[in-house]
Amino acid sequence: MNEQRAINFEAAEFRFADDDKKVLEGYASVFNSKTDLGRFDEVIEPGAFSRALSEDQDVRALIDHDSGRIIGRTKNGTLELREDAKGLHSRITLPDTQEGRDLATLIDLGTLDAMSFGFIVKGDRWEKQEGRNTRHISDVDIYDVSVVAFPAYADSSVALRSMPDDEPGDNRRMRFNLMLKKFRPNSWQ
């Protein structure tokens, strides 16, 4: 199941390299940071990205998880990913395109300040403390890192289906999807 998570750019910096190419650096994921996903909490554990990175998976850098708005790729070296003690560090050399220049301006102004990552869980475990479920993710395949407008995961139905079904009749997924529609107007508007 494909899933996405978003966080604010923690310790991200927007900087210009010596050859005047715009380079964006930040963390697409921070380890051991508990995230409230509504019905459960989630924690990305250290080492969760190590297998995927060692396999040289072809990861894209996108805007808002939109594959039509690609700004980097590991295959051609415009996206570099590494796992360190803090999390999944990303370095994107922005393209000299209108989209790249617009993105650089929006980040420089502070209009955009969040990152997200798309992944498929390969290893996880669940624990319940004080009546609350927590999912600990230990291994993932990564398919994208994205600069996003809204720091919330985009595909709530996938995330909620990943949780053990212990609350039949829960309508939070439906309410969340309705809320997201308010933030995402139709493309023709």
Side-chain angles (χ1 to χ4, degrees), residues 106-121:
L106 291 170
I107 293 169
D108 197 31
L109 291 171
T111 306
L112 289 176
D113 64 353
M115 284 192 82
S116 177
F117 65 105
F119 61 100
I120 299 171
V121 174

Side-chain angles (χ1 to χ4, degrees), residues 26-75:
Y27 284 87
S29 176
V30 176
F31 294 137
N32 296 318
S33 177
K34 190 179 281 192
T35 303
D36 182 347
L37 296 179
R39 291 178 58 201
F40 63 94
D41 294 327
E42 187 171 79
V43 175
I44 305 293
E45 296 182 339
F49 303 104
S50 58
R51 180 193 51 78
L53 294 174
S54 72
E55 291 176 356
D56 290 324
Q57 294 180 356
D58 188 16
V59 181
R60 275 75 166 175
L62 306 174
I63 300 173
D64 281 325
H65 298 288
D66 182 345
S67 62
R69 300 176 75 194
I70 189 165
I71 54 172
R73 190 171 178 176
T74 55
K75 183 177 177 179

Side-chain angles (χ1 to χ4, degrees), residues 3-33:
E3 302 185 43
Q4 299 167 346
R5 299 291 181 270
I7 62 168
N8 288 333
F9 279 128
E10 240 181 84
E13 50 182 79
F14 182 74
R15 64 187 187 127
F16 298 93
D18 293 334
D19 57 3
D20 204 33
K21 289 184 181 175
K22 293 179 168 70
V23 176
L24 174 65
E25 291 188 314
Y27 284 87
S29 176
V30 176
F31 294 137
N32 296 318
S33 177

